[in-house]
Amino acid sequence: MTDRGATPETILSLFAARGDNFSARNLATAAHRVAKMSRGRNRHVQRDRRATALADACRLRIREFNPQDLANTAWAFATARVEAPELFAAIAGAASSQLGEFNPQNLSNTAWAFATARIDAPELFAAIAGAASSRLGEFNPQNLSNTAWAFATARIKAPQLFAAIAGTASSRLGAFRPQELCNTAWAFATARIEAPELFDTIAGAASSRLGEFNPQNLANTAWAFATAGIEVPELFAAISGAASSRLGEFNPQDLTNTAWAFATARIEAPKLLTAIAGTALSRLGEYNPQDLANTAWAFATARIEAPKLFAAIAGTASSRLGEFNPQDLANAAWAFATASILAPDFFAAIAGAASSRLDEFNPQALANTAWAFATANIQAPELFAAIAGTASSRLGEFNPQGLANTVWAFATARIEAPELFAAIAGAASSRLGEFNPQDLANTAWAFATASMQAPELFAAIAGAASSRLGEYNPQNLANTAWAFATASIQAPELFAAIAGAASSRLGEFNPQGLANTAWAFATESIHAPELFAAIAGAASSRLGEFNPQALANTAWAFATANIHAPELFTAIAGTASSRLGEFNPQDLANTAWAFAAARIEAPDFFAAIADTASSRLGEFNPQDLANTAWAFATAGIEAPELFTAIAGTALSRLGEFNPQNLANTAWAFATAGIEVPELFAAIAGTASSRLGEFNPQDLANAAWAFATASIEAPQLFDSIALVARSRLGEFNPQALANTAWAFTCVDWKKDPEFFTELACFAIRDLDALDDRGLSQLHLASLHFGLEWPDRSSPLFKHHQILQMAYQRRNPRPSQLQRDVATALDRIGWTPHVFEHVTEEGLSLDMAQPETKRAVEVDGPHHYLKRTRVENGSTRLKSRLLRRLGWDVAHVSFFEWEALDTEREQDSYLRGRMRIILPAPA
C-alpha cells in the first residue's frame, strides 16, 4: 500500500488523498501501521480528524474484512486511542459470526482491543470465551496473558475460561515474559478468580526474574497478590528489595499501588514504605485523587508514621476534593483518623465536599466516613445528620460491619439519631448471624453508650454471642459485658458464658478491659467470685498501667460486688495515692466510696483523697459530693475541713441533688458528727416537697440523720410520716427500726397510729434484725408507752426480746466510770448502785434507786463517733429516764480529763451534784 518507512502522518495524508481507492485490506493495513508506528512516539493520532475518517471508511466496508483484518483494525484503533464506537460495534457484529476462523492471536487481540477501548460488548466476549476455551493449547504466553487481562479489564465474568487459562498457563510460566507474568496475575486478581496454584507458580517464576520487571510490573504484581489475598512473604520481600533502589522510576500510580499492596497484604516493610514516602513527598502534585487517598490509606493501614507525608497530602488534597470520588473522600478521612493525624481543616474540607454528594456514596463509604469523623473526634453535626438521612433508607445494602461501624460512630460522636438507631436495630436483628464478634460487640456498645432502648436487639445479640465467645478477643468480651450492664439488660446466661470465656484469658486483657469487666459484673449483680478472684490476680501486678478511671472502677466493682480483696485494695491505694491529681471528681468520689463500702482501713489514702478533693469540689456533681461525704463518714475518717467544704459547695446546689443524694448527705454529716445546721435546714427545705420521690431507704436515712444530729425539723418529720405511711410495706426491717428510732428521738407525738403501723410492719421480721435494730425498737416501744399509756403497741408483745437485746448492747464500764464512782464515794454520795438497770431495761452508770437520782458518764468523743446510734440513744435514754422520774447528772470525759488531783475531781463533782441534784445527805 505504501512505503514501510512512512510516518503515521504520511499514511493518513495518503488515505485522505486517495482513500476512495483503498481496498478493505488497504484500510485494515493502514490502520494497523498508523497505530503501530504511533506507539511510543507521543503521536496524538486520536485527535487527528483523518484517523476518524479512516475509522468511518473501515466501518462502511467491514463486511469485506477477513478475521485478520477485523482483529488488526480493532487492535489498531484501540492502540491509537481513537474513539470509534460505531466502528467497534461493526467489528463486534462482523467478528461474532467468524470467530471459528480466528487464530489465537486474532482472538486475543480482539478481546484486548475491546477491553482497552472500553467498549461494552458482552456478547462478543462471550463468543470469544467459547471459541478460545477449547484452543488455549495453541495460545502463546502473550495470547494467554492478554486474553485474561482483557476479560478482567472489561469486567466480563468468565470463570470457565479463567480456569482453563490457569490450567494451560501454569505449566508454561517459564516462557512468560515479565509483562505477561504480571498481567496474568493482575487479571486473575482483578476478576476475583481464585487460583492459588497459579499464583504460587507465578510467584516462583517471578521471584528470580524481578530484575527484569519494570516499575509498573513490580507494582502491579504486588497489587495482584495483595488483592487476591495470596500470602507469599518471600515474593513481597523480593519485590521490596527490587523496588527500593528504583523508586525514582516509579510513576505516582506505581508508588501508590506498591504501598497499597504491602499494606493490604499486611507485609511489614517499613524501609520500603519510608522510602516511598520520601519519593512521594516531592511529587504529590502529579498524583490523581485516587492515588492521594490510597497512599494515605496504605500508610494508615500499615501503621507507618509519616506525619510529613500526611501533612503534604492534606495540603495537596484540600483544594482538589471536588475531584475526589466518594470512595476517595471516605478513604482519605478513614486514613487520617486511623493514623491519628490531627487535621481539623482537612476534615472540615472533606465534610464540605462530602455532604452534598452522600447519595453517591456506597454503604461502606458512608459507614467509613462516619467512623473516621467519630474516631478523629471531629465535630461535624451537619455531616452526621446528612449521613443519618442518607443511610436510614439504604441500611438493607449495608454489610454487618457497615451497620456496626455506623452505629458505633454516632454513639462515639454523641450524635443523637434515634430514628437511625431504630432503623439499624431493625436491620441488624435478623442478620446477627452474619456479624463477626467485633461487629456484635461494637453494636451492643454503641446502643448502650447512646442510651438507646433496644431490648429485642440486645436479646438477639446475647443469643448470637453466647455460642461464639470463644472467637471474641478480650476487648470484645469486656465491651459486651460493659454494654449489657450499662444498658441494664438482664442476661445472666450471657454473663455466665463471658465469665467462663474470660477467666482463663485475663492475662490478655488490657487494664481498661479488666476494669470494665469487673464493673459490668458488679453493676449487673452477677455472682462470679472466681472471675473476680482471677481479675484481682491479673490486675494487682499491673495497676501501674491502669488509668485513674480504671483504678476507680476496679475498686468500685469489688466493693459493689462485696468481694473481699484487701491485697488488691492495698495495691490500688499504693498506686493511686501519688496520682490523685489525675483523677476526675467522679473517680475520686467512687474510689473513696469503694474503700469505705469494702471496709478497707486506709487512713493515709483517705487523707490524700481529702486533700485532693477539697480544692476541686466545685467540679463535683451532686452524686460525687454525696458519695464523698458518705465514704468518709462510713470509714470513720475525721476530715472536718473536707466536710465543711462539701457543705459550702452543696448548700447552693441542693436543687440538683436527687433524693438519694439528699438523704446520704444528711446521713454522712450526722454520722461524722459534723454540725452544720444551715446545711441540714437547707436539706430539710429541699427534701420536704420532694419526699414522694424518695425510696424507703432514703426516707429512713433522712429521718435517722436529722434525729442523730439533733436537728429540729418538725415539718420534715411530718412530711416523712405522711409519705412513709402508705409505703411501710416496702421498708426493709432495718429501715423500719431506724425510722421508729428517729421519730422517737425527736419526740414526735402527732399521730400514734403512725407508730402503731410502723410497729406492725416491724414485728413481721424481728428475726432479721440484730441487737442494734431490736434496741431501737425497744426505745420506740418505751416512748410509745410513755406518750400514749392508754394505747397498746404491737411491740409490747415482744417486750422481753427487745429489752434483752437492748441490755446486751450496754457498753462495759469504763475506767472513767469507775473513777467517778470512787469520787462519789469520797464525797459521801452513798448509798449508790454501780451499773443499775431499771425495770424498763435502761442502764445507769451510778444510781440511787430509792430517790431516782443517777449519774451518767459521757465517754470520749472518738468512742461516741464509733457508736453513733448509742450516742443518739444516750440522749433519748436521758429523756426517757426523766419521763420515768429520774434526775440524771452527766459527767463529761473532757472535763474530767482536765482535772489533775483528787481534790479538784471531788470539788468538781460536788459542785456538779449541787447544781443538778439535791445535796447528798
Side-chain angles (χ1 to χ4, degrees):
M1 177 193 69
T2 184
D3 184 1
R4 290 184 180 275
T7 65
E9 289 78 5
T10 302
I11 297 172
L12 288 174
S13 296
L14 180 63
F15 164 73
R18 300 172 52 189
D20 292 344
N21 298 324
F22 275 38
S23 65
R25 171 54 61 87
N26 291 153
L27 290 170
T29 301
H32 186 264
R33 288 186 179 177
V34 166
K36 194 170 184 179
M37 287 186 284
S38 296
R39 284 196 301 173
R41 300 185 186 179
N42 197 28
R43 306 288 188 180
H44 300 293
V45 174
Q46 67 267 35
R47 292 194 292 271
D48 196 317
R49 293 180 181 178
R50 294 170 298 179
T52 303
L54 178 59
D56 287 339
C58 291
R59 175 178 59 81
L60 293 173
R61 302 180 64 179
I62 202 69
R63 295 295 176 188
E64 303 172 36
F65 280 42
N66 62 31
Q68 184 74 39
D69 295 335
L70 290 169
N72 282 356
T73 302
W75 179 91
F77 281 89
T79 300
R81 303 184 184 280
V82 175
E83 292 189 9
E86 294 86 357
L87 171 61
F88 275 97
I91 292 172
S96 294
S97 60
Q98 299 184 52
L99 288 178
E101 304 170 40
F102 276 47
N103 63 31
Q105 183 79 34
N106 297 152
L107 290 169
S108 172
N109 281 1
T110 302
W112 182 93
F114 274 77
T116 300
R118 303 189 183 283
I119 301 296
D120 190 32
E123 295 83 2
L124 175 63
F125 273 95
I128 291 173
S133 293
S134 61
R135 299 177 60 189
L136 290 176
E138 307 169 36
F139 279 50
N140 65 30
Q142 186 178 36
N143 299 154
L144 290 168
S145 172
N146 282 359
T147 301
W149 182 93
F151 274 77
T153 301
R155 303 194 181 283
I156 301 295
K157 292 184 178 180
Q160 293 178 338
L161 174 64
F162 273 96
I165 290 174
T168 303
S170 292
S171 61
R172 299 171 58 188
L173 289 175
F176 279 52
R177 293 176 298 183
Q179 183 76 41
E180 292 153 5
L181 289 169
C182 170
N183 282 0
T184 302
W186 183 93
F188 275 76
T190 301
R192 307 293 179 186
I193 300 294
E194 292 188 10
E197 295 82 2
L198 174 64
F199 274 95
D200 286 344
T201 309
I202 291 174
S207 293
S208 60
R209 299 177 59 189
L210 291 177
E212 306 169 37
F213 280 49
N214 65 32
Q216 187 178 40
N217 296 155
L218 290 169
N220 283 0
T221 300
W223 182 94
F225 276 78
T227 300
I230 303 295
E231 295 184 9
V232 191
E234 299 81 3
L235 174 64
F236 276 91
I239 290 174
S240 176
S244 293
S245 61
R246 299 177 59 189
L247 291 176
E249 306 168 38
F250 281 51
N251 65 33
Q253 187 172 28
D254 297 336
L255 289 168
T256 300
N257 283 357
T258 303
W260 183 93
F262 276 78
T264 300
R266 304 193 182 283
I267 300 293
E268 293 188 8
K271 291 183 179 179
L272 172 65
L273 289 174
T274 300
I276 289 175
T279 303
L281 265 172
S282 60
R283 299 178 60 187
L284 288 178
E286 306 168 39
Y287 277 51
N288 64 34
Q290 187 177 36
D291 293 338
L292 289 168
N294 281 0
T295 298
W297 182 94
F299 277 79
T301 301
R303 308 291 181 187
I304 298 294
E305 293 188 8
K308 291 182 180 178
L309 176 63
F310 275 95
I313 289 173
T316 302
S318 292
S319 61
R320 297 178 58 189
L321 290 174
E323 307 167 39
F324 279 52
N325 65 33
Q327 187 69 49
D328 297 335
L329 289 170
N331 280 358
W334 182 94
F336 275 74
T338 300
S340 300
I341 300 294
L342 292 175
D345 295 338
F346 185 47
F347 273 96
I350 291 175
S355 293
S356 61
R357 299 178 59 190
L358 291 175
D359 288 341
E360 305 169 39
F361 280 52
N362 64 32
Q364 186 178 27
L366 287 169
N368 282 359
T369 302
W371 181 93
F373 276 77
T375 300
N377 196 26
I378 300 294
Q379 299 296 313
E382 296 82 3
L383 175 64
F384 274 96
I387 291 173
T390 303
S392 293
S393 61
R394 297 177 58 189
L395 292 175
E397 306 168 38
F398 279 56
N399 62 26
Q401 187 178 36
L403 291 169
N405 281 359
T406 301
V407 75
W408 180 93
F410 276 76
T412 300
R414 308 293 181 186
I415 301 293
E416 293 186 9
E419 296 82 2
L420 176 64
F421 273 86
I424 289 176
S429 293
S430 61
R431 297 178 59 190
L432 292 175
E434 306 168 39
F435 280 50
N436 64 34
Q438 182 79 41
D439 299 334
L440 288 168
N442 280 0
T443 302
W445 182 92
F447 275 80
T449 299
S451 300
M452 295 302 300
Q453 298 295 317
E456 296 82 2
L457 175 64
F458 273 95
I461 290 174
S466 293
S467 61
R468 298 178 58 190
L469 292 176
E471 306 168 39
Y472 277 48
N473 65 32
Q475 187 175 25
N476 297 154
L477 290 169
N479 282 0
T480 300
W482 182 92
F484 275 76
T486 300
S488 300
I489 301 294
Q490 299 295 312
E493 296 83 2
L494 174 64
F495 273 88
I498 290 174
S503 292
S504 61
R505 299 178 59 190
L506 291 173
E508 306 167 40
F509 279 53
N510 63 30
Q512 188 73 44
L514 290 169
N516 282 359
T517 302
W519 181 91
F521 275 76
T523 300
E524 285 284 274
S525 301
I526 301 293
H527 186 64
E530 296 82 2
L531 175 64
F532 274 93
I535 290 174
S540 293
S541 61
R542 298 178 58 191
L543 291 175
E545 306 167 39
F546 280 50
N547 65 30
Q549 186 179 38
L551 289 168
N553 282 358
T554 301
W556 181 94
F558 275 77
T560 301
N562 197 25
I563 299 295
H564 186 63
E567 295 83 1
L568 174 64
F569 275 92
T570 299
I572 289 174
T575 302
S577 292
S578 61
R579 298 177 58 191
L580 289 174
E582 306 167 37
F583 280 51
N584 65 34
Q586 186 177 32
D587 296 336
L588 288 168
N590 282 358
T591 303
W593 182 93
F595 274 74
R599 308 293 179 190
I600 301 294
E601 293 189 8
D604 293 340
F605 186 45
F606 272 96
I609 292 175
D611 288 342
T612 304
S614 293
S615 61
R616 297 178 58 190
L617 291 175
E619 306 167 40
F620 280 50
N621 64 32
Q623 181 80 43
D624 300 333
L625 290 168
N627 280 0
T628 302
W630 182 94
F632 276 77
T634 299
I637 301 293
E638 293 190 16
E641 295 83 0
L642 174 64
F643 274 94
T644 301
I646 290 174
T649 304
L651 266 170
S652 61
R653 298 178 60 189
L654 288 177
E656 306 167 40
F657 280 50
N658 65 29
Q660 187 179 38
N661 299 153
L662 290 168
N664 282 0
T665 301
W667 182 94
F669 276 77
T671 300
I674 303 293
E675 295 184 7
V676 190
E678 314 86 59
L679 177 63
F680 276 92
I683 290 174
T686 303
S688 293
S689 61
R690 297 178 59 190
L691 290 174
E693 306 167 40
F694 280 51
N695 65 33
Q697 187 70 47
D698 297 334
L699 290 168
N701 282 357
W704 183 94
F706 276 77
T708 300
S710 298
I711 301 293
E712 293 189 10
Q715 184 180 351
L716 176 64
F717 276 88
D718 291 349
S719 299
I720 290 174
L722 183 64
V723 172
R725 190 166 188 172
S726 62
R727 300 178 61 188
L728 290 174
E730 304 169 39
F731 281 55
N732 64 39
Q734 187 60 55
L736 289 166
N738 281 354
T739 304
W741 178 86
F743 275 79
T744 299
C745 263
V746 299
D747 199 19
W748 193 79
K749 3 178 145 169
K750 287 197 174 181
D751 186 0
E753 292 301 327
F754 176 63
F755 271 102
T756 302
E757 291 173 24
L758 244 177
C760 285
F761 282 100
I763 62 175
R764 293 180 182 181
D765 292 302
L766 286 181
D767 291 344
L769 290 172
D770 59 13
D771 282 354
R772 171 175 173 264
L774 294 172
S775 297
Q776 289 172 308
L777 292 179
H778 175 59
L779 295 173
S781 177
L782 289 178
H783 169 73
F784 190 95
L786 290 170
E787 193 62 42
W788 297 288
D790 56 337
R791 285 177 172 270
S792 176
S793 168
L795 294 173
F796 293 170
K797 297 179 182 179
H798 304 277
H799 169 75
Q800 187 174 4
I801 294 173
L802 301 180
Q803 182 166 322
M804 288 176 63
Y806 181 79
Q807 290 177 222
R808 283 196 296 270
R809 284 178 58 78
N810 283 335
R812 295 177 180 177
S814 65
Q815 185 58 48
L816 172 63
Q817 186 177 336
R818 299 180 190 281
D819 291 344
V820 172
T822 301
L824 286 172
D825 284 337
R826 284 199 305 267
I827 66 173
W829 199 66
T830 55
H832 67 263
V833 180
F834 191 73
E835 289 293 340
H836 174 69
V837 178
T838 72
E839 62 183 50
E840 296 83 10
L842 301 176
S843 65
L844 290 160
D845 294 342
M846 277 81 58
Q848 291 179 331
E850 299 81 3
T851 59
K852 286 196 172 182
R853 297 165 184 160
V855 174
E856 285 281 274
V857 178
D858 295 337
H861 187 245
H862 69 84
Y863 168 78
L864 292 177
K865 286 191 66 176
R866 284 204 300 271
T867 56
R868 294 172 188 88
V869 173
E870 283 77 0
N871 188 26
S873 293
T874 298
R875 293 194 300 272
L876 172 57
K877 185 177 75 169
S878 295
R879 180 166 57 78
L880 291 174
L881 285 166
R882 287 195 296 273
R883 293 288 301 276
L884 291 168
W886 286 86
D887 203 348
V888 182
H890 286 268
V891 175
S892 165
F893 167 81
F894 298 105
E895 293 168 323
W896 190 265
E897 189 177 44
L899 303 176
D900 294 331
T901 67
E902 286 186 3
R903 179 177 296 179
E904 287 176 334
Q905 293 169 1
D906 293 350
S907 175
Y908 163 75
L909 197 55
R910 190 180 299 277
R912 192 77 171 164
M913 295 298 102
R914 287 199 183 98
I915 293 170
I916 300 175
L917 298 175

